[in-house]
Amino acid sequence: MKYIKRDLENKIIELSKEYSAILVTGPRQVGKTTVLKNLMDNNREYVTLDDLEERRLAKNDPSLFLQMHSLPILIDEVQYAPELFSYIKIAVDNGANPGDFWLTGSQAFRLMELSQESLAGRVAILHMSSLSQHEIYGQGENTPFSIDLESLKLRKQTHKKADLTEIYERIWNGSMPGHISGKYTDRNVFYSSYIQTYIDRDVSELVTRVNKLQFQDFIRAAACRAGQMLNIHDIANDVGVSDDTAKRWLQVLEKSDVIFYLRPYSNNLLKRTVKTPKMYFFDTGLVAYLTKYTSPEILSNGAINGAILENYVVSEIIKSYHNNAMECLMWYYRDKSCNEIDMVIEDNGVLHPIEIKRSANPGSELVNAFNILNKGSVPKGKGCIICMRSDLSAIDGDNYIVPVWMI
C-alpha cells in the first residue's frame, strides 16, 4: 500500500502554528486519520473514540479524559463525545500551545455546529474530501480551479493528461484512498463494505430504527440521479417511502458528506429561474458501483455517461477549493425558458459560467447561454467549456476550452 500525499497537508501544518485546535472533518474513510498520523511526530499522543472505553470516559468525564492524556494530542472520531468541546475551549483559553489539539470527525455539519458553539475563534476547521485527480495523478502544488488563462496554463504542469478512456477509468475507479492506494484491491468488495459500514455506523446513529436494506436501495436510487435536478418524489417512489422520509434521508446523506448540492443561481434581475437544486456525489466510484456499471468502457457508453462526467467535474472543482482550505461560491443556472448553464462560479465579485460536455469538439454555440448572465446585477467574466479536448484552447477571447484532466 502506498501513501498518497494530500494537498491539505500544507494547510494543516501551517494552521497548527497559529491555532491551538485543528478540526479535520469529512466523510468516512477519506483518509483524515491517515494524514494526521503521517504528519504527527512522536511527541503527539493518539486516541480514538472508536475505543468504547475511551468514548465512555470522554462522554462521562471529559475533564478526566483530558487529564489522562498528554498534549499535544490527536483525538480521532471526536463526534462521539461532543462533551469534550467545552473542556478543550477551557484548555485553549488557559494557554494551550498552537497545534495542541488535532481533532477528526466524520459528521461535518454537526461537528461544525458544536465547534462553532464552543470553540468559536479558537479552532481552524478543514474539510477533507476523497482524493482529487491532482492528488492521485498530478504533481506539484494544488491551486483552486480558476478561469484565468495564466492559472489554466500552470495546470498543464501540475495535472496529468488523460483521454476519454482514461477519464472514465478515473470516474469508475473512484477516489477513496483505501481502494486507490492499493490497500483493498477488489473494488466491488471495497464499496460493498463501505456502504455497510456507513449504514451500520453513521446512518444508524442519525436515523432511529432505520431499515438498512431500504436505506441501501435509497442510496442507489439517489445515485441513479447524480448530476440531475433533485426530484424527491421520484426517489421516494423508487424505494417505497414517503416524500418526507426521502427528504430526511437525503439530509443524512448530505450531513455525512456523501452527496452535495448546487443551488440555482438567481438575483433580483433574473426573475424566471428555477428553484430546484442539482444533486451530486463526492465520489463517482460509489455512483458507478451503485448503478451497477461493471467496467469503465460500459460506463462511458451508458445512459448516465454525461451526468456522471458532470458529477466528476463539479466534485473535482469543489475539491480543488477544499484542499486549499477555501470555500467556493458555486451555482448552476436554469430558467423557465430552458436556458441552462452547468456551473456558475463567483470570484471577486465576477460570475464565470461553465459548460460541461463529453464532446472533444464542442461547438461555439454552447457559450450563447452565457449571455443570459449579462442581464443580472453581477458582472460576467471569462467563461469556459470543460470537455474531452486534449489541450487547452479557446472559443474566443472571453471563453476557453478546458480539458477535463486539467480541473
Side-chain angles (χ1 to χ4, degrees):
M1 183 185 81
K2 65 174 181 177
Y3 176 76
I4 300 172
K5 185 179 185 303
R6 303 304 296 266
D7 289 333
L8 200 57
E9 289 181 19
N10 292 339
K11 275 293 176 184
I12 294 170
I13 294 169
E14 177 186 320
L15 293 171
S16 291
K17 297 174 183 177
E18 302 173 4
Y19 288 84
S20 297
I22 305 289
L23 172 60
V24 181
T25 71
R28 183 169 295 281
Q29 295 186 33
V30 295
K32 302 181 295 294
T33 306
T34 301
V35 168
L36 291 176
K37 278 187 167 182
N38 184 69
L39 291 176
M40 71 186 226
D41 57 29
N42 294 331
N43 294 325
R44 186 176 297 273
E45 187 172 352
Y46 169 76
V47 58
T48 175
L49 298 189
D50 275 332
D51 183 316
L52 295 180
E53 283 302 308
E54 295 285 6
R55 187 189 305 181
R56 179 191 59 78
L57 181 59
K59 286 183 69 65
N60 296 335
D61 196 339
S63 178
L64 179 59
F65 173 88
L66 291 176
Q67 291 175 44
M68 295 294 294
H69 297 289
S70 303
L71 299 179
I73 189 170
L74 165 55
I75 305 175
D76 204 7
E77 302 293 1
V78 72
Q79 77 271 6
Y80 291 130
E83 295 83 359
L84 282 172
F85 282 108
S86 294
Y87 290 84
I88 293 173
K89 172 185 180 293
I90 293 170
V92 172
D93 288 346
N94 287 339
N97 294 319
D100 266 355
F101 294 96
W102 283 1
L103 314 170
T104 79
S106 46
Q107 292 177 14
F109 280 24
R110 179 65 180 142
L111 279 171
M112 289 175 74
E113 289 172 7
L114 289 166
S115 61
Q116 285 166 356
E117 286 170 11
S118 303
L119 291 167
R122 299 170 178 86
V123 61
I125 302 173
L126 301 173
H127 186 279
M128 181 176 286
S129 302
S130 53
L131 293 162
S132 68
Q133 67 171 354
H134 175 261
E135 290 171 320
I136 303 170
Y137 309 104
Q139 60 186 359
E141 293 299 314
N142 168 66
T143 55
F145 179 80
S146 171
I147 307 178
D148 169 77
L149 187 55
E150 293 307 312
S151 174
L152 291 170
K153 287 179 180 178
L154 288 174
R155 298 180 90 81
K156 290 183 179 181
Q157 279 74 53
T158 57
H159 288 61
K160 184 182 178 184
K161 241 183 189 183
D163 60 16
L164 184 144
T165 299
E166 293 168 302
I167 289 295
Y168 276 92
E169 284 178 2
R170 295 181 183 186
I171 292 171
W172 187 83
N173 277 317
S175 54
M176 297 300 289
H179 173 55
I180 297 299
S181 67
K183 182 178 182 180
Y184 303 108
T185 56
D186 190 313
R187 171 186 168 278
N188 291 336
V189 172
F190 171 79
Y191 276 112
S192 175
S193 301
Y194 175 83
I195 291 168
Q196 292 308 315
T197 302
Y198 167 64
I199 293 174
D200 288 343
R201 299 183 66 177
D202 292 350
V203 176
S204 296
E205 185 172 319
L206 294 168
V207 183
T208 55
R209 296 187 298 276
V210 65
N211 182 321
K212 295 179 181 180
L213 290 176
Q214 196 171 45
F215 196 92
Q216 184 165 332
D217 289 340
F218 175 79
I219 302 176
R220 181 171 291 112
C224 290
R225 294 164 174 83
Q228 300 176 29
M229 291 175 65
L230 179 64
N231 189 321
I232 293 174
H233 184 69
D234 280 359
I235 297 174
N237 272 353
D238 278 3
V239 186
V241 297
S242 69
D243 287 8
D244 284 344
T245 297
K247 187 175 182 179
R248 287 196 302 271
W249 286 3
L250 283 167
Q251 289 171 345
V252 170
L253 293 180
E254 184 182 17
K255 286 180 178 179
S256 46
D257 280 332
V258 173
I259 65 169
F260 64 96
Y261 296 108
L262 277 192
R263 309 290 173 183
Y265 178 79
S266 65
N267 65 38
N268 58 340
L269 298 179
L270 297 169
K271 302 289 188 184
R272 294 173 52 78
T273 53
V274 300
K275 306 300 182 185
T276 306
K278 293 176 79 170
M279 179 182 64
Y280 300 90
F281 279 63
F282 273 110
D283 177 37
T284 53
L286 179 60
V287 175
Y289 170 77
L290 288 168
T291 50
K292 303 299 183 184
Y293 283 92
T294 56
S295 73
E297 294 77 22
I298 295 173
L299 177 62
S300 70
N301 293 298
I304 68 168
N305 63 7
I308 202 168
L309 176 66
E310 179 178 327
N311 192 134
Y312 181 72
V313 169
V314 174
S315 65
E316 286 295 323
I317 290 175
I318 287 181
K319 288 175 190 179
S320 77
Y321 281 83
H322 283 171
N323 290 341
N324 278 272
M326 296 171 64
E327 292 298 321
C328 180
L329 296 174
M330 294 173 53
W331 303 272
Y332 82 99
Y333 178 87
R334 184 181 175 91
D335 61 30
K336 293 173 183 177
S337 301
C338 293
N339 295 304
E340 186 167 5
I341 302 170
D342 290 333
M343 284 184 71
V344 178
I345 296 178
E346 183 173 343
D347 184 31
N348 291 319
V350 176
L351 299 177
H352 298 280
I354 298 173
E355 191 69 17
I356 303 164
K357 290 297 175 189
R358 189 172 180 271
S359 169
N361 295 294
S364 58
E365 72 280 357
L366 291 173
V367 302
N368 292 342
F370 295 175
N371 293 326
I372 197 76
L373 297 179
N374 290 327
K375 298 178 181 179
S377 55
V378 181
K380 178 175 74 72
K382 305 286 187 182
C384 76
I385 300 172
I386 297 176
C387 65
M388 290 298 179
R389 180 73 63 89
S390 60
D391 289 300
L392 181 64
S393 184
I395 296 288
D396 52 41
D398 290 323
N399 298 288
Y400 305 125
I401 299 176
V402 179
V404 172
W405 61 263
M406 284 179 58
I407 46 177

